């Protein structure tokens, strides 16, 4: 499942179309006078800076010698400073994970960087602090140019970011810095913020954020402090540091905090799809205040969708901020009065444009901007009810998330209304010239509605073997896999709160996604093995495996990501890793032999432990906890490997550890159903998942003083060690049986790394678990067992019970 930070990836079959040319914005856009003054302010005064030190949490800024200028105050507060001269920046990381990670960039205990230019944007007392130490007024003709250059770079939006960092800082949901400052000016109850943008000696675009509402809200995550280096295509590109306040960490304060200023309550959206690429819509968004005094509210909306008006509940036009789509065009709405904590508000937003739907040919529409086709608040964090109405040319079938409650016609338009059966974290739709089929599944209690195009997309026209192939004629493949997946996952995880799942085709060949009650499956998922061979010939084993696994993976996201969400990016493996694990359950349950199941985990093991072109392994890029931050120039793809594959292995290892020769998966199933029920409609974290696991831990798993599984999660989620195992053994006759003697060795791990290593014996083609051996650190232990028969072989980890290096 994709998220907005990775939307810069271009998938096969995506057709780039001309940009919609919007009409000039109405008077209420960008018309707030304080905002306009902030947006255009120049250097109003300047001073000599010499040995001025600013301390911000774990960072220190030393202005050794130079000139510092300030813009004029707004609402009695100066909010921007520009520096030219000689400066030094130092950051001393707090916490073992961050201390280890920052060494990758400078191989030192703390990060240091000289800088010659800097911009400081703040709502705290930085002006007074600098002004108290600055000397008599001094002139520096370069300060205005530095400010203008900074604004030009910070306001530039990229259509095709070159890296994940550029996607986050210069793409769809990028900050409008003046709007962020305005939020603090209009709400003094907001924690003060401090942002520094440095032109360093080695790090040319270094950004330090200290924001009480979360340093990187688009991740999302509650940490208040971050250090970023924007250097696409180079080794320095990445989030160098991201952590809670040092005082919180040192005092042991709880790390998970709710940083949302507002909370969505309900969406009522009417969307008119005018043609294959343009839509217009109105969205009524109801929300409540979580922070007292909030006035400026940021919405997630694709900047290519231009807002024409915003109204309050009385129909009065209210101001909003949306700069040009090629600039920092994120949407901010300015409420007429401060919103009280717990208070309710509603706005109706009218907007339109393109870049949401693209025509891939053959009646195939590609629906993009899946979290920003409507003005959203806190995507994947809030769970609310959606009421969606779509109006489209009658040739199209629209499939919305939720259940269809009404259908009618208006002239040449077909209209449908969809409502969510349970609160959703996000909403979406798919569209095309479809044929449909439905099936009711008694075992899972779900109805499955399938939709596939009647023709192939343009990029496949003329390809060998495609004659007379219509995806809609192959609906059985995707629907039968979805039906089997729902049955298996309902058995293991419990029932879903909604009773209908839509299985829809999208034109991409190798990308799937899941929205509540709505699957976007790639075209390849609708091709059975025979058709696949005819169209593609002998394709790679990896693509074949993807087709086998994509439908169960995306189906399982109805549980992992939607029914149960994730707290922050650190915890997103609880969605993607669990979906990876779920696909293995599907393979094991639907295949006559364990071959594909075992190959699945072996492939995951290799992807995690084999070295890339730089001689590095994904498992060494960082712990699962780092998630997206593990992706660097030297470890491309490591984040996905860690969240999907290693995250999946974590759950697989728990299952194997809990498996019983008599009761099978009974204990594991009870644990997973407990996890779902205790988090139904909520977001989960590593800590909350561990609490559930600890309720079901089996006696032999209690190998630490705590009596819980903290040892396991520390090793596999917060650390990077992966063990290597070796087994040496002999089987000799003894009396009326046989004696198995040998040695089991664990190596390449820290001294406290502990695992229960399973030992299997093979007999008559069956693998029988003989027992488990606890190994701690680099350790060897003897194996001495009397057997009643001679085994064919003795092996460790016969079911890939433990992620290991070979």
């Amino acid at each position: 499942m994709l998220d907005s930070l990775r939307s810069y990836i271009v998938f096969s079959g995506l057709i780039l179309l001309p940009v919609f040319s919007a009409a000039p914005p109405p008077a209420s856009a960008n018309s707030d006078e304080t905002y306009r003054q902030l947006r255009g302010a120049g250097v109003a005064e300047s001073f000599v800076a010499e040995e001025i030190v600013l301390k911000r949490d774990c960072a220190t800024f030393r202005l050794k010698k130079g000139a510092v200028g300030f813009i004029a105050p707004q609402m009695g507060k100066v909010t921007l400073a520009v520096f030219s001269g000689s400066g030094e920046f130092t950051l001393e990381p707090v916490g073992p994970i961050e201390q280890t990670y920052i060494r990758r960039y400078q191989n030192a205990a703390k990060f240091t960087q000289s800088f010659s230019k800097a911009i400081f944007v703040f709502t705290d007392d930085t002006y007074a602090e600098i002004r108290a130490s600055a000397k008599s007024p001094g002139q520096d003709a370069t300060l205005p140019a530095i400010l203008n250059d900074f604004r030009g770079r910070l306001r530039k939006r990229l259509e095709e970011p070159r890296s994940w960092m550029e996607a986050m800082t210069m793409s769809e949901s990028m900050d409008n810095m003046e709007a962020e400052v305005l939020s603090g000016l209009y709400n003094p109850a907001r924690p003060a913020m401090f942002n520094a943008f440095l032109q360093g000696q080695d790090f040319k675009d270094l950004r330090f954020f200290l924001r009480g509402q979360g340093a990187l809200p688009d991740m999302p995550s509650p940490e208040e402090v971050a250090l970023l280096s924007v250097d696409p295509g180079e080794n320095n590109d990445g989030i160098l540091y991201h952590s809670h306040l040092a005082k919180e960490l040192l005092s042991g304060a709880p790390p998970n905090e709710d940083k949302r200023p507002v909370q969505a309550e309900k969406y009522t959206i009417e969307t008119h799809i005018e043609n294959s690429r343009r839509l217009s819509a109105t969205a009524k968004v109801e929300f409540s205040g979580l922070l007292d005094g909030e006035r400026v509210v940021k919405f997630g909306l694709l900047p290519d969708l231009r807002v024409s008006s915003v109204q309050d509940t009385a129909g009065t036009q209210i101001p909003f901020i949306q700069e040009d789509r090629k600039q920092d065009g994120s949407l901010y709405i300015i409420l007429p009065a401060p919103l009280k904590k717990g208070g309710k508000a509603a706005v109706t937003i009218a907007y339109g444009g393109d870049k949401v739907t693209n025509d891939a040919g053959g009646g195939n529409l590609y629906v993009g901007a899946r979290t920003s086709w409507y003005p959203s608040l806190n995507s994947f964090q809030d769970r609310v009810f959606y009421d969606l109405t779509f109006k489209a040319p009658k040739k199209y079938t629209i499939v919305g998330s939720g259940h269809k409650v009404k259908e009618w016609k208006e002239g040449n338009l077909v209209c449908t209304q969809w409502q969510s059966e349970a609160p959703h974290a996000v909403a979406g739709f798919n569209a095309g010239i479809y044929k449909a089929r439905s099936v009711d599944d008694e075992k899972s209690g779900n109805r499955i509605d399938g939709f596939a195009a009647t023709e192939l997309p343009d990029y496949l026209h003329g390809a060998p073997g495609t004659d007379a192939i219509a995806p809609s004629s192959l609906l059985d493949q995707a629907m039968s896999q979805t039906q089997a997946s729902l049955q298996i996952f309902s058995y293991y995880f419990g029932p879903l709160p909604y009773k209908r799942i839509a299985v829809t085709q999208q034109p991409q060949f190798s990308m799937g996604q899941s929205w509540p009650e709505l699957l976007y499956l790639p075209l390849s998922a609708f091709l059975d093995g025979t058709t696949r061979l005819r169209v593609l010939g002998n394709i790679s084993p990896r693509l074949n495996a993807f087709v086998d696994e994509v439908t169960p993976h995306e189906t399982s996201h109805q549980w992992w990501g939607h029914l149960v969400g994730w707290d922050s990016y650190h915890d997103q493996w609880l969605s993607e890793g669990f979906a990876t694990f779920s696909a293995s359950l599907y393979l094991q349950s639907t295949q006559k032999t364990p071959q594909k199941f075992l190959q699945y985990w072996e492939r995951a093991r290799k992807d995690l432990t084999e070295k890339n072109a730089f001689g590095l392994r994904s498992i060494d890029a960082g712990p699962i906890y780092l998630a997206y931050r593990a992706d660097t120039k030297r470890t491309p793809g490591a984040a996905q490997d860690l969240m999907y594959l290693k995250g999946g292995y974590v759950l697989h290892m728990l299952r194997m550890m809990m498996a019983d020769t008599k009761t099978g998966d009974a204990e594991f199933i009870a644990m997973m159903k407990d996890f779902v029920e205790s988090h139904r409609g909520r977001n989960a974290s590593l800590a909350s998942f561990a609490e559930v696991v600890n309720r079901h831990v089996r006696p032999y798993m209690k190998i630490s003083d705590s009596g819980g599984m903290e040892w396991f999660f520390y090793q596999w989620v917060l650390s990077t060690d992966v063990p290597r195992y070796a087994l040496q053994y002999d089987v000799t006759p003894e009396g009326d049986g046989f004696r198995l003697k040998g040695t089991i060795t664990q190596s390449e791990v820290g001294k406290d790394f502990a695992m229960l290593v399973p030992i299997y014996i093979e007999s008559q083609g069956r693998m029988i678990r003989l027992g488990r051996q606890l190994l701690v650190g680099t350790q060897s232990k003897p194996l001495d067992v009397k057997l009643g028969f001679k085994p064919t072989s003795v092996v460790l980890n016969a079911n890939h019970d433990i992620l290991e290096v070979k």
Side-chain angles (χ1 to χ4, degrees):
M1 189 162 49
L2 301 180
D3 57 64
S4 59
L5 297 183
R6 300 186 72 91
S7 61
Y8 63 92
I9 300 175
V10 179
F11 297 96
S12 62
L14 178 62
I15 300 173
L16 300 179
L17 295 165
V19 174
F20 166 68
S21 216
S28 59
N30 311 321
S31 61
D32 180 90
E33 185 58 31
T34 303
Y35 171 75
R36 290 167 62 86
Q37 291 295 327
L38 288 169
R39 189 78 174 176
V43 176
E45 57 179 344
S46 58
F47 301 89
V48 174
E50 191 170 313
E51 292 302 333
I52 298 175
V53 176
L54 300 175
K55 177 71 175 175
R56 295 293 182 270
D57 194 66
C58 60
T60 302
F61 301 84
R62 182 183 169 204
L63 310 182
K64 294 192 286 188
K65 188 173 183 178
V68 59
F70 300 96
I71 66 171
Q74 296 297 320
M75 296 181 63
K77 199 170 191 65
V78 176
T79 57
L80 186 146
V82 54
F83 171 78
S84 177
S86 174
E88 183 179 73
F89 169 76
T90 304
L91 184 141
E92 298 188 46
V94 181
I97 291 178
E98 296 298 338
Q99 290 167 350
T100 299
Y101 190 73
I102 210 161
R103 282 184 176 274
R104 299 183 178 200
Y105 291 93
Q106 286 194 336
N107 194 28
K110 61 182 179 180
F111 179 88
T112 59
Q113 183 70 188
S114 298
F115 61 88
S116 57
K117 300 175 184 178
I119 299 287
F120 304 107
V121 182
F122 45 85
T123 58
D124 64 3
D125 294 328
T126 295
Y127 172 73
E129 194 173 341
I130 294 178
R131 185 68 185 84
S133 301
K135 297 184 178 180
S136 58
Q139 299 297 321
D140 188 326
T142 66
L143 294 181
I146 293 172
L147 177 58
N148 288 336
D149 177 68
F150 157 75
R151 284 175 168 163
R153 288 186 294 108
L154 203 66
R155 294 173 181 176
K156 182 180 180 181
R157 176 187 169 222
L158 300 176
E159 292 279 356
E160 297 183 21
R162 295 166 293 174
S163 73
W164 177 71
M165 278 303 303
E166 274 196 342
M168 185 175 71
T169 58
M170 302 177 68
S171 188
E172 178 179 312
S173 60
M174 62 186 291
D175 284 344
N176 176 321
M177 190 55 66
E178 288 79 19
E180 295 293 331
V181 170
L182 191 70
S183 299
L185 292 180
Y186 279 170
N187 185 9
R190 263 192 173 233
M193 71 174 185
F194 174 88
N195 309 279
F197 302 83
L198 311 177
Q199 181 176 310
Q201 180 178 345
D202 303 311
F203 293 75
K204 304 302 182 184
D205 189 348
L206 200 62
R207 307 181 183 190
F208 174 84
F209 299 147
L210 175 58
R211 302 177 179 178
Q213 290 301 118
L216 304 173
D218 289 328
M219 291 292 278
S221 187
E223 288 95 340
E224 300 89 351
V225 187
L227 178 64
L228 284 61
S229 174
V230 184
D231 195 8
E234 302 301 328
N235 292 333
N236 289 340
D237 195 54
I239 299 176
L240 281 57
Y241 184 78
H242 191 205
S243 185
H244 284 280
L245 297 169
K247 63 182 181 182
E248 291 182 346
L249 295 175
L250 296 174
S251 67
N256 289 324
E257 306 163 40
D258 190 352
K259 300 293 186 180
R260 298 170 299 160
V262 297
Q263 174 177 279
E265 300 286 348
K266 184 181 178 181
Y267 295 90
T268 305
I269 306 171
E270 181 174 309
T271 303
H272 179 193
I273 298 175
E274 299 176 17
N275 51 48
S276 62
R277 59 180 185 170
R278 175 171 168 77
L279 63 77
S280 57
T282 58
K284 181 181 179 182
V285 186
E286 301 171 48
F287 54 97
S288 59
L290 299 178
L291 179 69
D292 204 31
E294 199 69 6
R295 278 196 64 197
V296 181
V297 181
K298 184 179 182 181
F299 289 77
L301 183 69
L302 183 71
D304 295 277
L305 295 173
R306 308 309 296 169
V307 174
S308 57
S309 72
V310 180
Q311 298 180 358
D312 62 14
T313 52
T316 304
Q317 296 275 346
I318 60 176
F320 63 93
I321 296 169
Q322 189 187 40
E323 295 291 343
D324 186 85
R325 63 175 184 80
K326 293 184 178 181
Q327 293 187 326
D328 45 348
S330 295
L331 174 64
Y332 297 78
I333 290 175
I334 304 173
L335 301 178
L339 182 63
K340 293 183 180 296
K341 185 175 182 179
K344 307 291 184 181
V347 294
T348 299
I349 306 166
Y351 57 97
D354 60 5
K355 293 295 182 74
V356 174
T357 57
N358 290 316
D359 190 349
N364 293 267
L365 290 188
Y366 169 73
V367 178
R370 291 183 185 161
T371 60
S372 57
W373 66 273
Y374 63 97
S376 61
L377 291 172
N378 310 320
S379 287
F380 292 105
Q381 293 180 282
D382 297 344
R383 279 172 169 72
V384 300
F385 285 99
Y386 286 80
D387 189 331
L388 309 175
T389 297
F390 296 96
K391 299 181 178 182
K394 61 183 180 181
K395 66 179 179 179
Y396 291 122
T397 297
I398 306 297
V399 186
S401 52
H403 68 288
K404 186 165 62 175
V405 297
K406 186 180 179 183
E407 183 171 355
W408 70 99
K409 291 183 179 179
E410 293 181 5
N412 291 324
L413 301 177
V414 61
C415 311
T416 55
Q417 182 181 10
W418 306 77
Q419 293 178 344
S420 48
E421 296 184 73
H424 289 171
V426 70
F429 70 96
N430 208 351
I433 301 176
Y434 288 143
K435 283 191 175 180
R437 189 178 307 163
S438 297
V439 62
D440 291 313
D441 182 61
E442 294 182 0
K443 289 186 178 180
S444 68
N446 292 104
R447 188 181 86 248
I448 305 163
D449 295 332
F451 300 86
T454 56
E455 297 181 26
L456 294 174
D458 287 349
Y459 73 90
L460 281 178
H461 282 178
T466 59
D467 296 345
I469 291 178
S472 58
S473 68
L474 302 168
L475 264 171
D476 286 347
Q477 166 84 0
M479 292 189 69
S480 62
Q481 287 188 338
T482 303
Q483 185 174 4
S485 298
L486 288 168
Q487 292 175 2
I488 294 163
F489 303 152
S490 295
Y491 173 76
Y492 271 88
F493 313 137
L496 291 171
Y498 26 82
K499 299 304 179 184
R500 172 259 188 191
I501 299 293
V503 179
T504 66
Q505 176 211 314
Q506 61 183 2
Q508 289 110 320
F509 201 81
S510 57
M511 187 276 258
Q513 198 168 21
S514 177
W515 254 216
E517 305 183 57
L518 174 63
L519 304 185
Y520 301 91
L521 293 183
L523 176 58
S524 57
F526 291 78
L527 307 181
D528 58 29
T530 302
T531 307
R532 218 181 303 156
L533 182 63
R534 193 168 79 218
V535 174
L536 301 172
N538 292 317
I539 62 175
S540 70
R542 188 172 291 273
L543 181 54
N544 254 325
F546 168 81
V547 178
D548 288 340
E549 299 151 14
V550 64
T551 300
H553 180 104
E554 299 304 339
T555 302
S556 77
H557 275 307
Q558 297 301 310
W559 282 266
W560 316 128
H562 298 311
L563 183 54
V564 179
W566 63 90
D567 254 3
S568 78
Y569 75 97
H570 300 301
D571 306 302
Q572 198 167 344
W573 68 276
L574 294 169
S575 172
E576 298 299 355
F578 280 34
T580 298
F581 166 82
S582 299
S584 79
L585 281 182
Y586 171 88
L587 293 176
Q588 187 180 41
S589 302
T590 58
Q591 300 292 313
K592 293 181 180 179
T593 69
Q595 182 181 6
K596 282 193 174 182
F597 171 78
L598 296 176
Q599 288 175 344
Y600 182 85
W601 288 114
E602 173 60 12
R603 189 172 68 249
R605 188 198 67 78
K606 285 184 176 180
D607 286 348
L608 284 163
T609 61
E610 291 186 347
K611 293 182 178 180
N612 64 17
F614 296 96
L616 300 173
R617 306 176 301 180
S618 289
I619 56 171
D620 299 324
I624 296 175
Y625 175 87
L626 286 180
Y628 297 110
R629 295 175 59 192
D631 264 357
T632 66
K633 180 183 178 180
R634 293 170 57 80
T635 55
Q640 180 161 314
D641 285 348
L642 293 172
M643 288 191 295
Y644 286 67
L645 304 183
K646 192 176 180 185
Y649 246 112
V650 169
L651 193 55
H652 175 67
M653 288 189 287
L654 281 172
R655 180 196 178 198
M656 293 295 102
M657 205 180 304
M658 297 178 75
D660 186 86
T661 53
K662 294 181 180 179
T663 60
D665 281 330
E667 292 291 335
F668 176 78
I669 291 172
M671 180 187 77
M672 295 307 293
K673 288 183 176 180
D674 184 4
F675 177 56
V676 170
E677 284 304 312
S678 61
H679 290 78
R680 183 178 290 266
R682 296 198 301 115
N683 291 337
S685 66
L686 169 61
S688 68
F689 177 56
E691 286 179 7
V692 175
V693 175
N694 285 342
R695 290 200 290 266
H696 297 267
V697 65
R698 307 196 71 178
Y700 55 81
M701 298 163 67
K702 299 178 181 180
I703 64 175
S704 67
D705 294 338
S706 70
M709 293 295 289
E710 288 76 14
W711 63 272
F712 176 84
F713 291 114
Y714 176 79
Q715 292 174 180
W716 292 106
V717 180
L718 302 177
S719 301
T720 59
D721 280 2
V722 173
R724 184 185 296 274
Y725 291 107
L727 170 66
Q728 296 177 331
Y729 71 93
D730 287 309
V731 179
T732 57
E734 183 176 291
D736 59 350
F738 295 85
R739 175 65 63 178
L740 167 62
K741 280 191 167 186
T743 303
I744 303 172
T745 301
Q746 175 176 270
S747 61
E748 300 185 17
V749 291
K751 63 182 180 65
D752 297 322
F753 186 96
M755 277 305 291
L756 292 162
V757 184
I759 307 157
Y760 291 85
I761 55 175
E762 183 182 7
S763 176
Q764 298 179 348
R766 293 177 58 240
M767 282 292 179
I768 304 167
R769 193 178 65 235
L770 183 64
R772 298 178 177 90
Q773 176 64 66
L774 174 63
L775 295 173
V776 181
T778 297
Q779 185 181 35
S780 296
K781 282 193 175 181
L783 176 64
D784 190 345
V785 183
K786 178 72 180 293
L787 301 175
F789 59 91
K790 185 176 182 179
T792 306
S793 64
V794 182
V795 296
L796 307 178
N797 294 339
N799 293 310
H800 289 278
D801 308 63
I802 302 173
L803 174 60
E804 60 174 320
V805 176
K806 291 185 178 179

